[in-house]
Amino acid sequence: GKVFLQSDVLEVAEDMRSHFLNHHAFSQVDDSGLWIQSNPFPVPTEREIATFRKGGDVYRSLLTISKNNDQILCDTLNQSHKDLDI
C-alpha cells in the first residue's frame, strides 16, 4: 500500500511525514529526502489550487507500506477504533 501526504504548511508536512517514518512499516518512496514536486493524483485539491494562486508552496511525500506490515496496520487501526468506541 501507499500513503500520500500533502500540506501547504511546512511544519505540518514535516510532522506528518516524521510520524509515519517513525513507524517501521513505512518508508519514503523517494530516498532523496526532498518533497515530491507533483501530485500523483490527476485532480488537485481546492487548497492546492488556492495555495498556488497565492504563490505558496505545497509539500508532498509518498510513502510505502511494506507488504508484511499491511495486516498488522489494519489490525492496529481496527483496535484503535474499538478503543475509541467508533
Side-chain angles (χ1 to χ4, degrees):
K2 294 184 180 179
V3 175
F4 174 64
L5 306 172
Q6 175 174 289
S7 178
D8 60 331
V9 179
L10 179 59
E11 294 81 11
V12 171
E14 289 173 332
D15 189 50
M16 288 190 297
R17 184 172 61 179
S18 74
H19 273 75
F20 276 93
L21 292 178
N22 282 333
H23 191 284
H24 71 276
F26 296 94
S27 60
Q28 192 163 330
V29 171
D30 181 2
D31 290 334
S32 71
L34 301 175
W35 303 103
I36 60 174
Q37 296 300 309
S38 61
N39 187 334
F41 294 101
V43 179
T45 65
E46 290 180 18
R47 178 77 178 234
E48 192 175 2
I49 293 167
T51 299
F52 286 140
R53 283 186 181 152
K54 293 177 184 176
D57 295 317
V58 175
Y59 307 95
R60 303 178 188 94
S61 196
L62 188 60
L63 310 173
T64 58
I65 306 167
S66 73
K67 219 171 183 76
N68 298 339
N69 291 300
D70 280 347
Q71 189 58 48
I72 294 169
L73 288 171
C74 287
D75 293 344
T76 301
L77 289 172
N78 286 335
Q79 186 60 46
S80 295
H81 285 166
K82 288 177 186 174
D83 292 345
L84 295 172
D85 197 28
I86 295 177

